[in-house]
Amino acid sequence: MSAAPEQVVADEVAAALAAGRPVVALESTIITHGLPRPRNLAVARDLEATVRSGGAVPATIAVLDGRVHVGLTDAELARLAAADDVAKASVRDLPVLLARGADGATTVAATAHLARRAGVRVFATGGLGGVHRGAAATFDESADLPALARTPIVVVCAGVKSILDGAATLERLETLGVPLLGFRTRRLPGFTQVDGGQDLTWRVEDAAEVAAVRRRADDLGVTAAVVVARPVDADAALDPALHDRVLAEALAAAEAGGVTGKDVTPFLLDAMQRGTGGASLEANVAAVTGNTALAAEVAVALAAG
Ligand code: PSU
Ligand code: MN
């Protein structure tokens, strides 16, 4: 294990990074706040296996006992999946958690930051955070967006979470200068929905093209993330009518319950899972799994030079 005072890099990850072999970072908020137990642990393990079968090394990232872990043991993964008091950690929470010796599950923003800091160049997640519906009144915009603007990594996602305002999120990504590539599509995917409703400027056809864009971004000093939006497979997507009906209920319940801040996204994801009888969970898992497989391909392409 390679260890700095604040960080533990798993042996396998450290060896791969030192040798320039492909590594894919995975987030941990999805384990603690995005998926129900016990499915969360099974999915976390499956995602690591997906990275491996794609020829890359998985590095699930989390904060444990006040230290950043880049690559978790199976026992650490299980501990995280079983705990119900782990903080959802965005970038701004990290210094506090480290100062206190606490645990934290990292969001897209925090995972991207920590992955890049450790030298990992590719990261897979489900749906990105973004601008919430009604943000003109609440100012609720995910810290994922400014983190993507300053973190030179590749993030493979299924577009923007469908609980959000996709059009507003696209505008913010444009303002923030974040390159956004549709994977074999010119439409912004909507997480559990194949089509989130907006057009994209750029479409790429394969992982090699993504790697080429990242390399050119690096050459140019473009320090934003390259975001790859891959639609969930059509046969795994959530039925749009069911999605819209349950989302309306979930948004109303969040408003009625006075849910704010970082509780909003976990509340809505949970309400969608319960309201669809688990169908949105299956679509979520399919999306993140497909993204993870593509992320491994991108990592392999980047490592190839
Ligand atoms: N995508 C998923 N499930 C999740 C999330 C994303 O499929 O649980 C998490 C990510 O960690 C993302 C976070 O960074 O939701 C966004 O939260 P917020 O809207 O509070 O920024
Ligand atoms: Mn928020």
Side-chain angles (χ1 to χ4, degrees):
M1 219 137 51
S2 109
E6 79 295 349
Q7 174 166 278
V8 182
V9 181
D11 283 342
E12 189 190 14
V13 174
L17 290 172
R21 291 198 302 270
V23 177
V24 173
L26 298 166
E27 63 153 305
S28 45
T29 292
I30 190 170
I31 303 172
T32 54
H33 293 75
L35 301 168
R37 287 192 295 249
R39 189 73 187 280
N40 60 347
L41 179 57
V43 172
R45 286 173 170 154
D46 285 349
L47 295 178
E48 294 206 344
T50 298
V51 172
R52 285 183 200 289
S53 55
V57 173
T60 303
I61 293 182
V63 176
L64 296 173
D65 301 317
R67 295 176 89 196
V68 172
H69 285 247
V70 181
L72 299 181
T73 64
D74 192 65
E76 289 164 344
L77 212 55
R79 164 179 159 192
L80 212 52
D84 48 16
D85 54 352
V86 177
K88 174 179 164 186
S90 192
V91 178
R92 70 172 190 160
D93 305 300
L94 296 173
V96 183
L97 295 170
L98 265 61
R100 294 195 173 174
D103 293 346
T106 51
T107 64
V108 168
T111 307
H113 177 84
L114 295 172
R116 189 68 199 88
R117 184 173 177 274
V120 180
R121 297 201 284 169
V122 183
F123 164 37
T125 185
L128 281 188
V131 180
H132 281 259
R133 295 169 192 237
T138 63
F139 276 71
D140 190 355
E141 172 183 331
S142 177
D144 291 355
L145 296 184
L148 292 170
R150 61 173 187 259
T151 311
I153 194 167
V154 175
V155 178
V156 183
C157 62
V160 172
K161 278 198 285 281
S162 55
I163 58 173
L164 303 172
D165 183 335
T169 303
L170 274 189
E171 295 288 357
R172 289 291 292 144
L173 287 169
E174 181 177 332
T175 303
L176 292 164
V178 177
L180 175 59
L181 312 174
F183 189 74
R184 298 180 184 161
T185 182
R186 282 286 289 274
R187 298 281 286 177
L188 178 70
F191 185 39
T192 60
Q193 308 284 283
V194 173
D195 185 347
Q198 287 80 35
D199 288 327
L200 295 173
T201 307
W202 301 110
R203 166 183 168 136
V204 293
E205 299 305 324
D206 55 30
E209 215 178 332
V210 176
V213 172
R214 180 68 264 170
R215 284 192 203 103
R216 297 293 84 86
D218 293 341
D219 292 345
L220 294 168
V222 173
T223 53
V226 168
V227 174
V228 182
R230 174 198 179 277
V232 65
D233 296 330
D235 59 358
L238 180 62
D239 172 59
L242 177 62
H243 170 273
D244 292 353
R245 178 173 63 72
V246 176
L247 179 57
E249 292 165 8
L251 291 167
E255 167 126 38
V259 182
T260 58
K262 63 185 185 180
D263 297 334
V264 173
T265 294
F267 178 93
L268 292 174
L269 290 176
D270 178 60
M272 290 297 292
Q273 287 166 10
R274 285 185 289 104
T276 61
S280 85
L281 172 61
E282 295 314 318
N284 187 344
V285 171
V288 67
T289 304
N291 296 341
T292 301
L294 176 55
E297 283 186 54
V298 173
V300 168
L302 268 176

